Structure formats: structure tokens, C-alpha cells
Amino acid sequence: MPVDPIQLSKFLSFVLRHKPGEIGLTLSSEGWANIDELIAKANAAGTKFGRSDLLDVVANSDKKRFSISPDGLNVRAAQGHSVTVELGLASQEPPSLLYHGTATRFVEAILSEGLKPQGRQQVHLSFDEATALRVGQRHGKPHIFKVDAGGMHGKGFKFYRADNGVWLTDHVPPEFLA
Ligand code: HQG
């Protein structure tokens, strides 16, 4: 049976970001899974796909959610983890303005506590408003915050750019939100 790339992408997100143990997989400290081992364990657990299916999903993922290691042996999620991983990204200067899409029902809490990572390792910020809108719509009626990333950077807050262009930081205090 042909593999549905969307289902496979969801499965890979689930295993590589949240629950590797569900198929008996262990990720490296940097979040990598050995591709052959991942395929063998997924197949044994009932999710059937092959190497070319996986590579197709990695290459065609709309958000470039997954990265292949330079030696071609391993795969990891570019961002979005709830499991503890050290992606090994170097901190870098962010654009002066970034965006965060959320749902209107979270706005009050965010204005009082700032943006927190919630279930993930870090707060995810978008480079442009259109992307932030799509992220916010996942949660309900969308609201877009502008994040004064330049101001935060000036105060020593660290920013990381995931392989797929999503910006990550630990916490955004309310004074940097508009
Ligand atoms: C909200 C997707 C109350 C936050 C996207 C968000 C992204 C607060 C929700 C990536 C809060 C967490 C991540 C506070 C933050 N009080 N609510 N103090 N601080 N929140 O899904 O950023 O398609 O964990 O606003 O494209 O929505 O999966 O994070 O609404 O890049 O590849 O708590 O996931 O990528 O929700 O999304 P999430 P996110 P994928």
C-alpha cells in the first residue's frame, strides 16, 4: 500500500519530537535517530514505510520539519520537541521583529506572564506574519503578537534559528510583546 506522506510526517513528528519510546527508539542527545533503526522499529510496531518514503517526506515537508545528518545516517525534527534535546544550534542575532501566532483565548495570560514554552522545549517564533497566522489558527481564533526580538537581543536574551527557519528562545517577557 502506498504511504500517505501527511500521515508519515505526523508519525515522524510524534516519534522524533515527543514519544520515541513509543516504538522503542532512543534519540541521541541532539535529537537524532538512526534512519535504519527508526524504520525497523516503526515497521515492527505496525507503521510500514521505507527509506525512500522517509526521504520524500523530509524533502517535501512544507515546513522542512526534519533534517538529515550530514553523513546521511540520521534524521531529526528541526524543532518542536517536548523531549529534552540539545539541538546544538549556535545562538545568533535575530531579525529586529519576529511574530508569534496564538489564539485569542491565550492573550490575557500571555500579556501577564509572557510567552512560555508550554509543552515544548522553547518558545517558537515566526519570521513573518503569514506564518504566525497559520500557527495561531491551529489553536483557534488567531491573534498575532509582534515580538521585539532586537530589544531582547540587546538585553542579552539568546535566540536560535532552527534548520527550517523557525526562531527559538526560552521565554519572551510581556514588555517585549505588542
Ligand atoms: C501558548 C508548529 C498561555 C502559545 C508551528 C501557543 C510552530 C501560552 C501554545 C510550532 C503562554 C503552545 C510551535 C502563556 C505561550 N499562557 N498560553 N503564558 N505562552 N502560550 O503548539 O508556538 O506544524 O506548543 O501561544 O508551526 O503554537 O508542528 O506552540 O498557542 O512552529 O511543525 O501556548 O509547531 O509546527 O502551543 O507551535 P504549541 P506553537 P508544526
Side-chain angles (χ1 to χ4, degrees), residues 17 63 65 100 102 113-114 116 118 120 135 138-139:
R17 289 172 169 177
K63 294 185 187 166
R65 291 187 176 88
H100 178 86
T102 187
E113 303 169 352
K116 303 200 296 195
Q118 306 295 61
R120 309 207 190 229
V135 175
R138 290 160 51 249
H139 297 288

Side-chain angles (χ1 to χ4, degrees), residues 57-108:
V57 165
V58 172
N60 300 320
S61 160
D62 53 348
K63 294 185 187 166
K64 302 209 179 315
R65 291 187 176 88
F66 311 103
S67 310
I68 301 287
S69 60
D71 62 10
L73 296 178
N74 304 299
V75 61
R76 76 177 179 187
Q79 36 70 219
H81 299 84
S82 59
V83 292
T84 305
V85 289
E86 182 42 69
L87 292 173
L89 304 169
S91 68
Q92 52 177 295
E93 184 172 352
S96 55
L97 204 57
L98 286 169
Y99 301 89
H100 178 86
T102 187
T104 49
R105 68 183 185 283
F106 299 142
V107 167
E108 200 181 318

